[in-house]
Amino acid sequence: MTTRGIVTLRGESELVRRAGALLDGARREFLCAAGGPETWSATARNIRRRPVPGLSVRKLYGPGVFDEAGGPELLARLAEAGVEIRISPVPPAHEAIVVDGRLAVLAAPRSAAGEPRTYGIVQQPDVVAGVRALFETVWETATDLATYCRAPFPRLDEAERAVLRSLAAGHTDETASRLLGVSLRTYRRRVAALMTALGARSRFQAGLRAREILGRHPDA
């Protein structure tokens, strides 16, 4: 289906069949933003294993990639192949691929009904430039993979670890304070202190960071 210059494809198999050659034809730059390893799994298998000389390949992931099956292994393979990888504090708002600044592939949100995911193929220069600019903005705020994996996590006492687990579980303040046996004021004070320790600017960011720490350091 074509709408206002956007070709919509249903499912990754159709994406590979109809647009695989375009993706495989990257010569200068291949950019990819994904929340996890599954978004572009079939597409990734279609793309050449050994990029042409001079091709810059950059991939941006959210922290959840470490928690998904095959995620850490995928990152290791990509890094070994010379792909630049950065981890964003939050999953990319839009999962997309940009090829040579001339083509963009946009992944639609997943369907709750389990229907095949749709992908939009865009070749309008101004739209492609906009998607690329959005990628660059997030890329600049993300952390390269090696630095991210080396980053120390705060040493926490038992009370702080309990708050960390509550944040990771997504409990409301009222529920968490009741489960921990502390007053609501005390719990919120501990959350504020933990957010400072985690370098989080919001509860949402703190929850993501908490899940990340517990995923990599289950004894934290």
Side-chain angles (χ1 to χ4, degrees):
M1 181 176 67
T2 303
T3 305
R4 295 181 182 178
I6 300 178
V7 177
T8 302
L9 306 177
R10 290 177 60 81
E12 273 201 283
S13 59
E14 185 178 15
L15 174 63
V16 169
R17 180 170 55 84
R18 295 185 56 184
L22 293 173
L23 299 175
D24 197 39
R27 291 294 182 271
R28 295 181 292 102
E29 181 181 68
F30 186 93
L31 310 178
C32 175
E38 80 293 338
T39 302
W40 308 106
S41 56
T43 306
R45 288 194 294 271
N46 186 71
I47 297 168
R48 64 171 59 86
R49 293 178 181 273
R50 295 183 178 276
V52 297
L55 176 64
S56 170
V57 181
R58 290 186 285 160
K59 297 203 172 187
L60 179 71
Y61 291 97
V65 67
F66 291 97
D67 302 325
E68 296 192 32
E73 293 78 10
L74 170 66
L75 295 177
R77 289 197 303 271
L78 292 173
E80 185 178 359
V83 174
E84 291 184 71
I85 303 169
R86 289 192 182 183
I87 307 299
S88 171
V90 296
H94 302 285
E95 296 180 287
I97 285 175
V98 181
V99 178
D100 290 341
R102 60 176 171 77
L103 167 76
V105 184
L106 308 176
R110 296 182 181 282
S111 169
E115 298 176 356
R117 197 172 191 179
T118 60
Y119 299 86
I121 309 296
V122 185
Q123 292 181 283
Q124 293 174 287
D126 55 341
V127 178
V128 175
V131 176
R132 187 184 184 283
L134 180 60
F135 178 93
E136 291 289 357
T137 298
V138 181
W139 181 265
E140 289 303 316
T141 64
T143 305
D144 73 87
L145 179 62
T147 301
Y148 186 90
C149 290
R150 287 196 307 266
F153 65 97
R155 298 295 175 181
L156 308 176
D157 60 27
E158 183 53 42
E160 290 170 325
R161 287 196 292 272
V163 173
L164 186 78
R165 289 189 288 269
S166 292
L167 285 172
H171 292 149
T172 65
D173 289 359
E174 290 76 10
T175 297
S177 63
R178 184 174 66 254
L179 290 174
L180 299 181
V182 298
S183 70
L184 186 58
R185 174 178 290 185
T186 296
Y187 177 76
R188 286 175 173 168
R189 187 175 66 250
R190 291 178 180 176
V191 168
L194 189 59
M195 286 176 62
T196 299
L198 296 176
R201 295 188 296 271
S202 68
R203 287 291 190 94
F204 178 70
Q205 233 180 24
L208 288 174
R209 180 71 172 137
R211 285 191 289 274
E212 167 208 329
I213 291 174
L214 292 173
R216 287 195 283 161
H217 308 279
D219 297 327

